[in-house]
Amino acid sequence: MEKLSKTQVKYLRKISHSHKPIFQLGKLGLTDVFIKQVDEAIEKRELIKFNILQNSSETIEEAAAQIAEAIDAYVIQTVGNTAILYRESSKEKFQKISLDVSNIA
């Protein structure tokens, strides 16, 4: 997995503002099922946000890093209780964001 440039990360942060968090991590913490759901969602969307609830024993930085490592994704940003993850889709029909990102130098 090649490293993203600062310009690419900045672009991904910019477009993520219009996205809503689609997962919430709660008191059960990081489970295999949660990671699998994030993996399936990021395959179709390429860019996802998730929240961590106050009753979770994880911190947002730890959770984002563990998920990103498990699914081979990038942590774009963590702000407050929200994390943004990005991974290029392996299916061509879902590669909308990654085409834009690859055109940014």
Side-chain angles (χ1 to χ4, degrees), residues 10-104:
K10 189 175 177 182
Y11 171 76
L12 289 167
R13 276 200 318 255
K14 180 179 137 188
I15 65 170
S16 73
H17 287 295
S18 63
H19 289 68
K20 300 273 187 244
I22 59 172
F23 293 108
Q24 292 183 329
L25 183 63
K27 66 181 177 183
L28 294 177
L30 280 176
T31 61
D32 292 338
V33 174
F34 184 84
I35 292 172
K36 185 174 186 273
Q37 289 176 333
V38 171
D39 188 35
E40 291 169 357
I42 205 167
E43 180 64 30
K44 291 182 180 167
R45 297 173 182 240
E46 294 189 311
L47 187 70
I48 63 162
K49 278 184 175 179
F50 72 91
N51 288 337
I52 192 165
L53 301 176
Q54 290 179 348
N55 63 354
S56 178
S57 60
E58 313 269 344
T59 67
I60 191 66
E61 291 83 7
E62 291 172 349
Q66 288 177 1
I67 293 169
E69 186 177 329
I71 65 171
D72 198 29
Y74 294 101
V75 177
I76 299 302
Q77 187 177 31
T78 57
V79 177
N81 292 329
T82 304
I84 305 164
L85 299 176
Y86 166 77
R87 183 182 76 197
E88 185 177 331
S89 178
S90 61
K91 296 186 172 109
E92 200 171 311
K93 68 180 181 179
F94 298 126
Q95 292 178 348
K96 294 176 179 72
I97 296 172
S98 57
L99 291 176
D100 294 338
V101 169
S102 64
N103 291 331
I104 299 172

